[in-house]
Amino acid sequence: MVKTFFRTSAMLLLLSGSALAQNWTVDSDNSRLSYGTIKKNSVGEVNSFEKLSGSVSEDGKLQLKIDLGSVETNIDIRNERMRQIVFQSIGSADLTAQLDAAELSQLAVGATTVVDLEATLNLLGTEIPVETEVFVARISDSKVLATTNDMVFLGTEEAGVNAGVDQLKTLAKLNGITRTVPVTLRLMLTTEGKQAAAEPVAAPAPVQVAFAGDVKAGKKVFKKCKACHSVKEGQNNVGPSLHGVIGRQAAAVEGFKYSKVMANADVTWDTESLTEFLTKPKKFLPKNRMAFAGLKKPADIENLLAYLDSTSK
Ligand code: HEC
């Protein structure tokens, strides 16, 4: 197996980041949480919550409080109904997540990045997992802007507000209202000029083993695979989970029904075999069931492998 590993240490990153570890506060005036609804199949409306508060702690813990009473639907009676019927007069909902504090504090002024966010929304006592990409821009030393990269869809059933929505529908004599709402979030985070009092002691940096490609660029290439593959362990879709695929035998994911040729292939997925396979899947393994024409650019594959490697840790 020919693998082109190179080793880097995270020490440098830690050194440059630790001086900037800070507490961030949500600037309510410049933050916004909105959601869309569609009634009668055609009338789209945007509602929002006017009051958000919260913080990101030095170690990257995001806590966002959404004041449910501040819901703004642009119609007073409807605001009232939303508060009492849908939100059951409960004061607030909480969104919590763990962010990569080091990555955020290292972001240079003017720079942007896209990070994965796995958050939990606690609404009316129900915990709803929320997964999304967040676009982050460092506006100044003391300001960071974060927005959802795309819309996030939230089901009213899952959110535990279906019964309330039913009642609203009856009250407003609507014959239809969507049960999935697109949500967008914009957060403006500011520091209060509070530098961390003591320099945090940096934990020993794990030695990272990385492929030569560019992980971020590889993540973009992976969009071509996403329709069928997940990089999450155990998550099989049309294609098998690609978690830890580099270095493993072909057709090794338990519970996935491979084609005969794939199941019988005597192949270990390494840089070489993956490069060949992904260039022309049908040529590498005739009659395999992956309906994908192939990646033409060698650089795309190199970046993709770096990304796949990074998700398998
Ligand atoms: C249209 C759906 C689809 C797309 C798009 C797709 N795949 Fe697949 N992939 C599959 C299926 C189905 C299999 C199983 C094939 C079989 O059993 O013959 C598979 C198998 C694989 C395997 C072998 C896995 C194993 O466990 O042995 C790898 C590696 C792989 N795909 C990588 C990729 C990558 C990387 C991309 C994007 C560049 C991609 N695939 C795009 C459907 C897809």
Side-chain angles (χ1 to χ4, degrees):
M1 253 198 284
V2 188
K3 282 198 184 177
T4 46
F5 288 128
F6 71 93
R7 281 164 188 277
T8 57
S9 126
M11 260 333 257
L12 268 180
L13 294 180
L14 273 175
L15 285 177
S16 61
S18 60
L20 274 166
Q22 282 161 326
N23 286 304
W24 297 86
T25 311
V26 173
D27 168 3
S28 185
D29 288 346
N30 287 306
S31 298
R32 190 176 174 80
L33 177 63
S34 306
Y35 61 93
T37 62
I38 300 169
K39 60 184 186 190
K40 298 179 199 158
N41 259 336
S42 58
V43 186
E45 290 179 305
V46 176
N47 298 349
S48 61
F49 293 96
E50 300 294 292
K51 283 194 201 141
L52 305 173
S53 57
S55 59
V56 177
S57 67
E58 228 172 272
D59 57 0
K61 213 160 185 218
L62 165 70
Q63 277 178 310
L64 179 68
K65 211 171 231 345
I66 303 150
D67 183 342
L68 296 176
S70 74
V71 66
E72 182 54 77
T73 66
N74 299 315
I75 298 179
D76 286 349
I77 175 80
R78 196 162 56 191
N79 291 351
E80 223 22 69
R81 284 173 175 167
M82 285 296 290
R83 280 179 207 131
Q84 287 175 6
I85 301 171
V86 180
F87 299 133
Q88 301 160 23
S89 302
I90 289 175
S92 60
D94 292 298
L95 185 84
T96 51
Q98 181 62 47
L99 308 177
D100 187 340
E103 188 174 354
L104 286 188
S105 52
Q106 277 149 27
L107 202 61
V109 170
T112 65
T113 184
V114 174
V115 298
D116 281 320
L117 184 76
E118 286 191 26
T120 305
L121 175 66
N122 192 316
L123 181 65
L124 313 179
T126 311
E127 293 213 326
I128 308 154
V130 179
E131 252 183 69
T132 181
E133 282 184 348
V134 175
F135 175 81
V136 184
R138 182 80 178 243
I139 294 178
S140 71
D141 261 334
S142 60
K143 275 192 186 159
V144 165
L145 175 72
T147 71
T148 41
N149 207 21
D150 294 303
M151 282 166 267
V152 177
F153 282 96
L154 197 64
T156 56
E157 167 100 63
E158 182 190 28
V161 297
N162 232 359
V165 174
D166 274 339
Q167 257 192 45
L168 267 197
K169 196 177 111 181
T170 316
L171 280 174
K173 300 191 172 56
L174 292 174
N175 53 11
I177 186 156
T178 40
R179 297 309 168 114
T180 300
V181 296
V183 180
T184 61
L185 173 64
R186 177 181 77 218
L187 281 185
M188 182 72 95
L189 299 167
T190 61
T191 56
E192 299 153 325
K194 261 196 307 197
Q195 291 282 330
E199 204 80 333
V201 182
V207 175
Q208 295 185 333
V209 179
F211 275 71
D214 175 358
V215 173
K216 262 193 192 154
K219 187 172 180 185
K220 281 208 182 121
V221 179
F222 188 72
K223 287 193 173 154
K224 295 188 172 153
C225 325
K226 242 181 168 170
C228 303
H229 291 285
S230 163
V231 291
K232 286 222 169 126
E233 194 163 8
Q235 188 167 322
N236 298 329
N237 300 332
V238 176
S241 162
L242 294 183
H243 182 90
V245 68
I246 297 172
R248 86 179 176 211
Q249 287 287 314
V253 173
E254 261 179 60
F256 184 81
K257 222 174 159 332
Y258 290 96
S259 65
K260 256 195 203 141
V261 283
M262 187 64 85
N264 293 330
D266 181 18
V267 172
T268 300
W269 292 127
D270 58 16
T271 309
E272 267 175 308
S273 58
L274 278 171
T275 302
E276 218 178 308
F277 174 59
L278 294 174
T279 307
K280 272 205 170 147
K282 285 276 142 61
K283 188 172 165 211
F284 181 81
L285 202 62
K287 294 203 178 137
N288 85 75
R289 226 177 333 104
M290 169 156 133
F292 183 72
L295 293 169
K296 292 199 183 70
K297 293 188 204 142
D300 277 355
I301 297 180
E302 192 173 310
N303 296 336
L304 179 69
L305 294 186
Y307 170 68
L308 286 177
D309 178 58
S310 78
T311 63
S312 297
K313 300 240 156 77

